[in-house]
Amino acid sequence: MPVLLFLIDTSASMNQRTHLGTSYLDIAKGAVETFMKLRGRDPASRGDRYMLVNYEDVPFGIKAGWKESHATFMTELRNLQAAGLTSIGTSLRTAFDLLNLNRLVTGIDNYGQGRNPFFLEPAIIIAITDGNKLTSGGGVQDELHLPLTTPLPGSELTKEPFRWDQRLFALVLRIAGNASVEPEPLGGVPSDDSPITPMCEVTGGRSYSVFSQRMLNQCLESLVQKIQSGVVINFEKTGPDPAPMEGETSSLAPLEGETSSLAPLEGLTAPSTSCADAAAEPLKGAQTWHCCHKLIYVRPNPKTGVPIGHWPVPEAFWPDQNSPTLVSAASGFTCVSVPRFIVLTRTVPSQPPRSAHPHVRFSCLDSEPMVIDKVPFDKYELEPSPLTQFILERKSPHTCWQPFGYLKASTALNCVNLFVMPYNYPVLLPLLDDLIKVHKFKPTIKWRQSFENYLKTMPPYYIGSLRKALRIMGAPNLLADNMEYGLSYSVVSYLKKLSQQSKMEYDRLITLIGTKQPPEAGIKVRWRGGGGVSLAQRRDFIQQLLSLSADAQAPPLELNPKEFQGFQLALPNEALKPQSFRNPYDIPRSQLLDQLSRMRRNLLNTGVCLLRGQDSDQLHSVPIAQMGNYQDFLKAAPQPLRDADPEQPKRLHTFGNPFKLDKKGMMIDEADEFVTGPQNKGKRPGDSSNMPGGGPKRRRCMSPLVRLGRAYTPPVTPPASPRPADVDVSDEAAEPEPKHLHEETSKVNNELRTLITKEIRKPGRYYEKIFLLLKQIQGTLDTQLIFLQNIIKEAARFKKRVLIEQLENVLEEIHNRSISMNLVDSL
């Protein structure tokens, strides 16, 4: 399960624009998404874990860690903002500590008991930066410095902050602001000369100097191929050079397109070196193979998906079981090459702690590989390098070079493999061969003495692996069960204590991930309230304002006396040193004229810029990605004034979509015909502009209604409750009704509305009873108009188009009566 950690540069310099119209930060975000899409094509990507770290302080810089989901990762990636310093050293230490947080809990490093390549947690850190100067609160730095102090428990056990299964790759963006006229050179992507490059090479990775979008895509494809399960080892030649082979040429070309496979082992093929890596390792001399810093591939088991191994890589010291601490138990060993076997001898104590990458020395003395059928061994393929190229050019697949195992070219001469064997295998393998073939698993006393002498010269941590190997062979009783092969009690207790502390630190950091950085502390303004008077209401303050300007108006008396409540004064940051002037030598030659024009405008104040050092067009330039973000603009806009008529329907803005309609008031039937629900909502009934042609204005309807020209003449029948003849209608409309009469009128009209609604819901076109009930409406003409409009809306709900036309004619008659009465009253 590889861990992919993205370290994104969020310094202010990432806001610079390219000729593509996007900023460096936008390109970095797009690069991460492109990488994830390319990686998603591989079925092995299902077990990937993604993490996100930026240049903020801990824990605010950790955006996605061990517990965050993929959705959280993408959300935090899109919300990154470039506003800070280029503190890449501190951020790299944060990334390494995040990866190493759980290693002591799982015991994956196995301190003091050998290094197990098959017990690993591969991680790749992909740093995306612009390669500018390293800035911090203390100034500008020329070199990258990783902090030595860290709160991570157990960090003192390893010299470096990284481990042998963690590699760093850097994408240094060098895309220019102006499009280049010259054609882009083809070939490999060169390494960058930024301070992060040496750190990449130390971890076994490399940096890419990206000058275009095509090169960026090329680098991303190369990085996807580098997601391999393996560990980094330092190989160094010791002793004389090998004798030249017959017909051997000493020409060593740079490694380009070297392919390797693991066909003899599992039928797998290692990824070939991509074109982005063609310029990764320029040949510095004819002896570059003497010292190589490369990866060995640790292939997982095809059935279980987990790497399986038997023998560890030996430690750089001889552990003492009586030592109270792990550090003081260090005593080094040297690897002496002797024909047919290797002897490890004790030397003076070495300097602790353990180095991240084991230092393996090999002898160039040709030897024959030693293998016994029933004795297990581990086989790892080497990453293509000058060392593998030199061994393959010798074309001798039947000889090997011996370290604690041996280096040997494959039979097909397409890769070089590292065979990890038991400790001092030239002595052990002949003993086991005699046990199987001569003694038939019944050892003699002499054989047992030779075997016990071998065990005395073997480090104790090999006993567990040897016991498993003997069990596989069929001789499980050769080693006593009471043999101690672990560390001392005090060292084990110390490691358990570190494991508990790591677990607590892990839980603490997990809870802090996702918290936002608190605002800067300031001095809170205290309101001396109670019976005091606001500053804006003091008489002398108003007089001073009037004396300064005769046209100034006095502030209103209804101002809030607590206008300064919650106001804070910012404290000066003592660590931040202001820089009033810019060094002219830091300005590129191509920008001198632009800088001079800005300085002239600032001096003469002839521009209208609000910010110094900017042009007027820069103030109004908006990124393309933010041009359609109208919602954020509305949030930042000041609060609008309340509407004069709150019942008036609010106008829906159609920004970005001129055909956006509010469909809440539309009613759809099976025939896709709709009429608007709330018609003329909030309009005054007496307004003639709202009802052109004498009737209420209706919205556009998809289904054609019956034309308004046909009139309906109801049958002449006496009303149920006739109106008294001596009542003047004009007085009825002019004078307000008493309270008790208004309540009685509302009660009668509500009952009529219920009866009319029942008649409307009945099927058919018998509407005579409806008009009989309408004649019993009580109240003024305005009340009758409102009542009739509500009845029209109810008829529209049930698609009574003929009834709507007849009701509109009645509404027109009542409206004309109202207009004529208003004219009489005016005369």
Side-chain angles (χ1 to χ4, degrees), residues 284-337:
K284 299 180 181 179
Q287 308 299 327
T288 53
W289 62 272
H290 284 183
C291 185
C292 285
H293 187 72
K294 285 299 179 180
L295 188 80
I296 62 171
Y297 299 118
V298 182
R299 302 297 186 187
N301 189 354
K303 296 181 179 179
T304 61
V306 179
I308 299 178
H310 301 88
W311 307 105
V313 176
E315 293 280 358
F317 59 88
W318 191 281
D320 187 4
Q321 294 182 355
N322 299 323
S323 176
T325 60
L326 184 62
V327 174
S328 62
S331 59
F333 69 86
T334 57
C335 180
V336 182
S337 299

Side-chain angles (χ1 to χ4, degrees), residues 34-74:
T34 303
F35 179 88
M36 298 176 68
K37 292 179 181 178
L38 294 175
R39 175 59 179 167
R41 300 173 183 174
D42 191 354
S45 63
R46 298 176 181 177
D48 293 350
R49 182 184 298 276
Y50 290 95
M51 298 183 182
L52 182 63
V53 179
N54 67 350
Y55 282 9
E56 297 181 34
D57 297 333
V58 181
F60 312 110
I62 304 176
K63 302 301 181 181
W66 291 99
K67 296 292 185 179
E68 280 67 33
S69 62
H70 179 75
T72 304
F73 176 89
M74 298 303 299

Side-chain angles (χ1 to χ4, degrees), residues 658-733:
F659 302 102
K660 184 186 294 184
L661 295 175
D662 187 8
K663 299 182 180 180
K664 294 181 179 179
M666 299 180 182
M667 291 164 291
I668 312 296
D669 61 353
E670 291 78 1
D672 292 334
E673 298 179 356
F674 69 95
V675 294
T676 56
Q679 297 181 7
N680 300 327
K681 182 178 180 181
K683 299 292 184 179
R684 288 188 293 270
D687 192 358
S688 60
S689 62
N690 295 333
M691 294 176 288
K697 184 179 180 181
R698 292 184 297 173
R699 293 185 181 179
R700 178 174 57 91
C701 181
M702 294 179 63
S703 60
L705 294 177
V706 182
R707 289 179 288 112
L708 299 177
R710 300 187 306 175
Y712 173 76
T713 305
V716 180
T717 55
S721 57
R723 187 183 301 274
D726 56 348
V727 177
D728 191 1
V729 181
S730 62
D731 297 337
E732 186 176 87

Side-chain angles (χ1 to χ4, degrees), residues 683-691 781-782 785-786 789 815 818-819 822:
K683 299 292 184 179
R684 288 188 293 270
D687 192 358
S688 60
S689 62
N690 295 333
M691 294 176 288
L781 290 178
D782 292 340
L785 285 173
I786 296 174
Q789 288 178 355
H815 182 63
S818 176
I819 294 175
N822 292 333

Side-chain angles (χ1 to χ4, degrees), residues 371-377 433 436-437 472-473:
V371 176
I372 298 179
D373 294 339
K374 294 185 179 181
V375 178
F377 61 89
D433 188 44
I436 297 173
K437 297 180 180 179
I472 295 174
M473 291 174 54

Side-chain angles (χ1 to χ4, degrees), residues 338-410:
V338 183
R340 295 285 300 171
F341 62 91
I342 296 176
V343 178
L344 297 177
T345 59
R346 300 185 186 183
T347 60
V348 296
S350 62
Q351 295 182 357
R354 169 198 277 186
S355 60
H357 300 150
H359 200 76
V360 176
R361 296 179 180 178
F362 62 91
S363 173
C364 296
L365 185 64
D366 292 340
S367 304
E368 294 182 1
M370 300 178 63
V371 176
I372 298 179
D373 294 339
K374 294 185 179 181
V375 178
F377 61 89
D378 298 331
K379 183 179 179 181
Y380 306 104
E381 180 189 348
L382 270 68
E383 185 181 12
S385 64
L387 174 61
T388 60
Q389 182 182 4
F390 181 80
I391 295 176
L392 293 175
E393 286 180 352
R394 292 178 60 85
K395 298 181 180 180
S396 57
H398 302 293
T399 59
C400 62
W401 293 347
Q402 293 178 338
F404 48 84
Y406 51 84
L407 293 171
K408 178 182 174 298
S410 62

Side-chain angles (χ1 to χ4, degrees), residues 9-185:
D9 186 356
T10 54
S11 59
S13 58
M14 291 290 287
N15 287 319
Q16 56 184 316
R17 296 285 171 182
T18 65
H19 67 276
L20 303 175
T22 56
S23 65
Y24 275 4
L25 185 60
D26 297 334
I27 294 178
K29 295 179 181 179
V32 175
E33 295 181 357
T34 303
F35 179 88
M36 298 176 68
K37 292 179 181 178
L38 294 175
R39 175 59 179 167
R41 300 173 183 174
D42 191 354
S45 63
R46 298 176 181 177
D48 293 350
R49 182 184 298 276
Y50 290 95
M51 298 183 182
L52 182 63
V53 179
N54 67 350
Y55 282 9
E56 297 181 34
D57 297 333
V58 181
F60 312 110
I62 304 176
K63 302 301 181 181
W66 291 99
K67 296 292 185 179
E68 280 67 33
S69 62
H70 179 75
T72 304
F73 176 89
M74 298 303 299
T75 302
E76 295 293 340
L77 176 66
R78 297 189 182 100
N79 293 337
L80 288 180
Q81 300 293 331
L85 301 177
T86 314
S87 56
I88 188 172
T90 307
S91 302
L92 262 180
R93 184 71 199 218
T94 302
F96 286 130
D97 289 348
L98 180 62
L99 293 175
N100 301 331
L101 198 60
N102 207 27
R103 295 180 74 93
L104 276 177
V105 179
T106 58
I108 193 173
D109 290 321
N110 203 29
Y111 285 104
Q113 302 182 46
R115 304 173 189 243
N116 298 320
F118 48 87
F119 195 18
L120 76 167
E121 192 175 60
I124 289 181
I125 301 176
I126 302 176
I128 306 179
T129 179
D130 56 356
N132 284 343
K133 294 290 185 179
L134 306 181
T135 58
S136 62
V140 181
Q141 301 174 356
D142 295 331
E143 297 179 353
L144 189 147
H145 298 281
L146 267 72
L148 298 179
T149 59
T150 175
L152 186 65
S155 59
E156 68 276 3
L157 298 178
T158 308
K159 293 180 182 179
E160 297 85 357
F162 51 86
R163 302 295 183 264
W164 67 340
D165 53 358
Q166 300 170 0
R167 291 187 293 169
L168 172 65
F169 296 90
L171 297 176
V172 185
L173 303 178
R174 301 290 186 184
I175 304 176
N178 299 325
S180 177
V181 183
E182 301 178 357
E184 183 178 347

